[in-house]
Amino acid sequence: ELRGCLLELSQDPHGTRVAQKVVEEAVRRGMVDELLEALPTQDMSSLACSVTGFHVVVKLLELLPDGMVEPLLETFCSNPKPLASDQWGCCVLKKCIDRSQGTLRDRLVDTITENIPQLVEDPFGNYVVQHLILMGEKRPTEYVTRVIDSLQGLMLDLCFQKFSSNVLEKCLQNSSDSDRNKIINELLNGSEKCPPSEAVRKIIFHQFGNYVFQQALEVAQEPQFSLLVEHSKQHIQDMVCRNLPPKEKKEKPADAQGGDLPVVSTADADALLSPVGSLSLEHAKRLATKLVKKYPALAWGLAPEALGLGVGGVAGWYCDHFSAYAQGDYAQGDYDAAW
């Protein structure tokens, strides 16, 4: 009775629940042919981008037997880019990746990989790329390597974009040491217009880039870790030692006409002079303080008072954080409480 209106039901906020139940029962009762006749493959692409219809498509992908799901997968594999960039289509495409096998999956992944530089900056496409990175029970997988290789030459710029910076974080978390080094080395190399130390400074104090930098420090091995420290240490220590403007209300001077002249605080002036996307001075200082406390190598030579520790707490903090380093690559001689 629902055969003629199942497609319409799938696109209705309430009818979609009925359509999903029909899919479940049709598969359970062996009525797949009748089901696919009521939901023709040629209509699946539009249904996949529907706020209600995509639930029905996902249900089909989950429940259809292997032999009968392939035509549906072929439909989506032939042109996955529009799906990847759609709010609901990206969910369908992720399910297609999971359900496909063999050469069909290879074709789908190949097409996605060709478009990765565009997808990582897309509000929805980036989730498809992250899905590739997180595929498989044992990581890293070959898919992570393919994602990273597709982004070579673009890493520095991608740090400053909201969605692509999330992808870079996932790559750093789930890749092999050799693939991580590809990302970290590119960040350290800077560009023709931006030397390494300046590039690192921009990343550290950028609203999105700082997360990539923190993740890089978290996973980096030698010599990349020491290089990250070398290029960032001075910038971080300068920020730790920087004084924040006092938070007090200032009197507004009157202009010649008796009106009020705008007063720009030190923090506002600092923000005006900073590149677009930079953290506020207060936020940047908190981040820098957090980093020197977490990574002792960033704190060498920094006055203890800059960390906001009282005299009684200074010695204990340095003992706790530097004792392990005194026996390793960062050995600086015996601990001296007066230092």
Side-chain angles (χ1 to χ4, degrees):
E1 295 180 6
L2 296 175
R3 182 177 301 181
C5 60
L6 197 55
L7 189 63
E8 184 179 348
L9 278 175
S10 299
Q11 300 180 71
D12 181 82
H14 305 292
T16 183
R17 298 181 182 274
V18 176
Q20 291 173 65
K21 192 64 178 178
V22 169
V23 171
E24 292 175 0
E25 289 300 315
V27 173
R28 186 177 69 84
R29 300 183 187 193
M31 301 174 64
V32 176
D33 290 333
E34 292 86 344
L35 176 64
L36 295 179
E37 184 180 339
L39 291 171
T41 302
Q42 61 266 26
D43 294 321
M44 289 297 103
S45 293
S46 60
L47 203 60
C49 296
S50 166
V51 63
T52 55
F54 89 94
H55 292 290
V56 178
V57 179
V58 168
K59 187 69 70 174
L60 285 168
L61 290 169
E62 287 177 346
L63 299 180
L64 286 178
D66 289 342
M68 294 186 169
V69 77
E70 287 187 5
L72 186 57
L73 290 171
E74 285 282 359
T75 299
F76 296 131
C77 289
S78 60
N79 188 23
K81 188 178 178 182
L83 276 181
S85 300
D86 182 81
Q87 184 174 3
W88 316 113
C90 69
C91 301
V92 172
L93 191 57
K94 289 192 291 184
K95 183 60 68 175
C96 288
I97 295 171
D98 292 338
R99 190 66 203 273
S100 59
Q101 297 177 350
T103 56
L104 188 59
R105 174 179 282 186
D106 291 340
R107 282 172 44 209
L108 180 56
V109 172
D110 287 344
T111 308
I112 293 172
T113 304
E114 291 171 3
N115 294 283
I116 279 180
Q118 295 78 40
L119 292 179
V120 294
E121 297 190 57
D122 186 85
F124 310 113
N126 79 92
Y127 291 111
V128 176
V129 180
Q130 291 186 52
H131 191 72
L132 276 182
I133 295 169
L134 298 174
M135 279 181 62
E137 295 181 0
K138 294 183 179 180
R139 292 190 285 272
T141 65
E142 61 175 304
Y143 302 116
V144 186
T145 301
R146 294 184 66 177
V147 170
I148 292 174
D149 288 344
S150 298
L151 298 176
Q152 285 194 297
L154 305 171
M155 305 288 188
L156 184 59
D157 290 335
L158 294 177
C159 287
F160 305 124
Q161 206 268 351
K162 180 178 180 179
F163 307 112
S164 55
S165 66
N166 290 333
V167 174
L168 289 182
E169 283 186 74
K170 285 292 188 297
C171 287
L172 287 166
Q173 291 169 354
N174 297 281
S175 58
S176 63
D177 288 340
S178 59
D179 283 333
R180 286 190 189 112
N181 290 345
K182 294 175 186 177
I183 301 175
I184 295 173
N185 288 341
E186 196 164 315
L187 302 185
L188 289 169
N189 288 337
S191 63
E192 293 181 2
K193 297 181 179 180
C194 193
S197 290
E198 179 62 17
V200 171
R201 185 192 68 80
K202 288 184 177 180
I203 296 171
I204 296 170
F205 300 121
H206 189 273
Q207 60 179 330
F208 306 128
N210 81 87
Y211 294 105
V212 179
F213 179 79
Q214 291 184 68
Q215 190 61 54
L217 274 179
E218 186 78 28
V219 301
Q221 303 295 322
E222 293 296 350
Q224 276 71 26
F225 179 81
S226 292
L227 289 170
L228 285 169
V229 170
E230 176 186 341
H231 288 296
S232 64
K233 179 179 173 182
Q234 191 60 54
H235 301 306
I236 290 173
Q237 291 192 3
D238 287 346
M239 184 58 68
V240 170
C241 297
R242 192 167 182 177
N243 292 324
L244 291 174
K247 294 183 178 180
E248 57 183 8
K249 190 174 182 180
K250 297 183 179 180
E251 294 294 331
K252 294 183 178 181
D255 63 12
Q257 285 74 36
D260 290 330
L261 290 174
V263 174
V264 180
S265 68
T266 307
D268 291 336
D270 187 81
L272 290 172
L273 295 173
S274 300
V276 175
S278 291
L279 298 174
S280 67
L281 178 58
E282 184 177 0
H283 191 169
K285 185 176 175 70
R286 286 202 306 268
L287 172 61
T289 303
K290 168 189 169 182
L291 290 173
V292 297
K293 288 183 177 181
K294 185 174 182 179
Y295 300 101
L298 290 170
W300 285 115
L302 185 65
E305 295 80 7
L307 297 172
L309 298 171
V311 176
V314 172
W317 186 85
Y318 277 107
C319 281
D320 292 341
H321 288 75
F322 287 109
S323 57
Y325 285 79
Q327 301 174 5
D329 296 334
Y330 301 96
Q332 298 287 329
D334 295 335
Y335 168 73
D336 181 3
W339 181 84

